[in-house]
Amino acid sequence: MAYEINEQKKVGLGLIGFGIFFSLLGVILFFDRGLLALGNIFWLTGVALLLGWGATWRLFTNPANYKGSISFLLGLFFIFVRWPIVGIIFEIYGCIVLFGGFWPSVKVFLCQIPIVGWIISYLF
């Protein structure tokens, strides 16, 4: 296996999954501020556990990623001050800018999963 998954990374993946679930549930329930905030907290903690605290700090404070970091944190601020639609737009843009370099690695990882890999190799 190309990636070693220990217990901390399993918990991180679970928290990222819960974060995505609560964020989607918050969007479905007409941008519920509490669910969106809870989803963000789970997602950020999961990313920190998955990548490691130092790597997460370097990711957000890297000068090349300032635009994405500021956009994501501004979106989080807008969610907390009750502008959830604007906040989600800023957060989505920030995630795309911050994690744009990870997409090739994610594709390699997903191609190793039996059914998902067949679909991805068929589409791309």
Side-chain angles (χ1 to χ4, degrees):
M1 181 186 239
Y3 300 101
E4 180 183 338
I5 298 180
N6 56 16
E7 294 299 319
Q8 181 177 347
K9 290 182 181 181
K10 287 179 186 177
V11 171
L13 284 172
L15 287 174
I16 289 172
F18 277 126
I20 292 171
F21 172 73
F22 280 114
S23 295
L24 288 176
L25 191 62
V27 170
I28 289 171
L29 294 174
F30 303 111
F31 293 96
D32 182 48
R33 189 174 63 100
L35 288 172
L36 290 172
L38 189 62
N40 284 325
I41 291 169
F42 280 153
W43 186 82
L44 280 173
T45 307
V47 167
L49 286 176
L50 185 66
L51 296 178
W53 296 102
T56 303
W57 180 256
R58 284 189 303 273
L59 176 72
F60 278 96
T61 59
N62 185 2
N65 294 338
Y66 279 161
K67 192 162 84 170
S69 298
I70 290 171
S71 176
F72 184 80
L73 294 174
L74 192 62
L76 191 63
F77 171 76
F78 279 130
I79 285 175
F80 285 133
V81 296
R82 298 184 182 193
W83 287 26
I85 296 173
V86 176
I88 287 293
I89 292 170
F90 272 104
E91 283 186 356
I92 289 171
Y93 175 74
C95 284
I96 290 171
V97 172
L98 275 174
F99 298 106
F102 289 111
W103 294 119
S105 299
V106 170
K107 182 181 175 189
V108 168
F109 175 74
L110 290 176
C111 285
Q112 294 177 355
I113 300 172
I115 296 172
V116 177
W118 298 328
I119 294 170
I120 289 176
S121 64
Y122 180 73
L123 292 176
F124 299 107

